[in-house]
Amino acid sequence: MSTPRRVRVRALAKLNLDLRVLGKRSDGYHELRTVFQTISLADTIEMAFTPGRKTAIELDDALAIPDNLVGRAAKLALGAIHGAGRVEIRLTKRIPMGAGLGGGSSDAAAVLLALPVLAGRHIGLPQLGELAQQLGSDVAFFLLGGTAVGIGRGSELFPLPDGPAQAALVVAPGVHVSTPQAYRDLSPRLTSESQQNKIFSFQSQVWGGGVERLPRNDFEEVVFPQHPSLADIKRRLLRAGASVALMTGSGSAVFGLYPDRNRISVALQSLGAGKAFPVSFVTRSRYRRMWWRALEEHIIGRTWPPQSRYAR
Ligand code: C5P
């Protein structure tokens, strides 16, 4: 009987620092331009793998999330390495669900990254990226972390250089926004003319050179009228001194960027409803260090992190 190999990892949340929806594609998804950023808010995943002849995936998740992506990720990862055995996963959720913070996607990516290592096998980044896309559009970003531009469905990624430490306040008001519904509501408003403008203004936002430095999230225009409390949170974050306040993903969480932690303490006092999380940005180099430390004892050779021609 083999002994289980164990690992404990943190699955970080993300913010969309900018998000523009261009138009509907022939595959039914929407073409995006976005900037992803990992933040210090995280779920915890404890995982044990015991090699064996049969595969059994046991998920201990206090919230009993239906059709949890974590179980599907474990199945995909084992399939990719032609491995079998018992996988025990305990998930401790801290990232609010249905809030646009990418918690489910990050948990799934964490399993894709960790399980092959526990099984003593290596999956290259291109294949991991394909598995990630099968699980959801945001999953691939968490293979990389830090700051990255996402295009296509959001899974084609271009890493941006690490920026300075940035403090942020994330407010999750407990409003559930359905992502497919948000896309359906936004879709009729998307015209080819506005696509040209969006591409231009996104590029000047990300790479500078243009006059515009105004981040935006296109989902605000359909989600805020349905949930006016979210627009109110955005106003309060700005009044409390945020340099930028924006909804993340298709909502419902709204975040504000602040120059330091003191400003965040003041902002916290002025916000009534909802759960508020003071966080900081996690750069790609910190993200990689975090992963390296978590997996170090199981890594054979220098096969981790999975390398990409774009990653630094
Ligand atoms: O990829 P994911 O499963 O996270 O997407 C959930 C839903 O959001 C999709 O079924 C689709 O309706 C919508 N979506 C989209 N375009 C994207 C990402 C998601 O239309 N780029």
Side-chain angles (χ1 to χ4, degrees), residues 6-280:
R6 297 177 188 279
V7 74
R8 188 171 193 271
V9 295
R10 291 173 70 226
L12 270 51
K14 59 89 175 152
L15 298 176
N16 294 92
L17 300 180
D18 198 297
L19 173 53
R20 317 207 185 197
V21 183
L22 301 183
K24 197 164 182 180
R25 311 173 352 157
S26 54
D27 64 1
Y29 285 91
H30 288 78
E31 182 70 24
L32 301 185
R33 295 292 180 272
T34 189
V35 179
F36 291 110
Q37 173 66 56
T38 33
I39 56 171
S40 52
L41 177 64
D43 292 339
T44 306
I45 298 178
E46 291 155 274
M47 200 175 348
F49 177 69
T50 318
R53 300 244 230 122
K54 276 198 186 153
T55 289
I57 297 166
E58 295 160 28
L59 180 58
D60 175 359
D61 138 36
L63 301 171
I65 303 161
D67 191 28
N68 199 316
L69 277 185
V70 159
R72 285 174 52 201
K75 230 177 269 170
L76 277 180
L78 283 183
I81 59 171
H82 305 291
R86 182 169 175 213
V87 184
E88 296 157 88
I89 301 173
R90 182 189 290 168
L91 179 59
T92 309
K93 291 287 307 170
R94 272 181 225 92
I95 305 172
M97 292 187 287
L101 293 165
S105 300
S106 186
D107 296 342
V111 172
L112 291 183
L113 286 170
L115 188 51
V117 173
L118 280 188
R121 303 289 290 277
H122 175 68
I123 306 184
L125 195 64
Q127 195 184 358
L128 278 178
E130 280 168 27
L131 300 180
Q133 278 203 49
Q134 293 178 41
L135 293 165
S137 306
D138 289 349
V139 179
F141 165 66
F142 293 100
L143 302 174
L144 203 60
T147 318
V149 167
I151 72 168
R153 272 173 64 187
S155 320
E156 286 171 53
L157 296 158
F158 299 87
L160 292 175
D162 285 348
Q166 170 71 58
L169 183 60
V170 178
V171 183
V175 173
H176 181 83
V177 176
S178 151
T179 300
Q181 188 59 47
Y183 275 104
R184 277 196 292 274
D185 293 342
L186 188 57
S187 223
R189 299 165 180 241
L190 305 171
T191 63
S192 50
E193 191 195 354
S194 74
Q195 292 189 21
Q196 295 300 323
N197 292 338
K198 278 182 193 179
I199 291 172
F200 181 74
S201 77
F202 178 80
Q203 289 183 176
S204 66
Q205 173 68 24
V206 174
W207 286 285
V211 278
E212 189 177 2
R213 292 304 270 183
L214 275 179
R216 45 183 272 202
N217 178 339
D218 283 346
F219 284 111
E220 288 185 352
E221 68 184 81
V222 290
V223 175
F224 280 3
Q226 291 167 14
H227 304 285
S229 61
L230 304 182
D232 187 47
I233 291 169
K234 175 168 172 158
R235 272 192 298 275
R236 284 172 192 237
L237 289 168
L238 287 169
R239 267 207 302 273
S243 56
V244 167
L246 211 61
M247 192 171 78
T248 176
S250 56
S252 63
V254 180
F255 64 92
L257 304 184
Y258 291 88
D260 53 53
R261 287 265 172 169
N262 293 339
R263 283 296 192 84
I264 286 186
S265 308
V266 177
L268 264 172
Q269 287 162 16
S270 71
L271 285 159
K275 273 194 174 169
F277 304 89
V279 300
S280 49

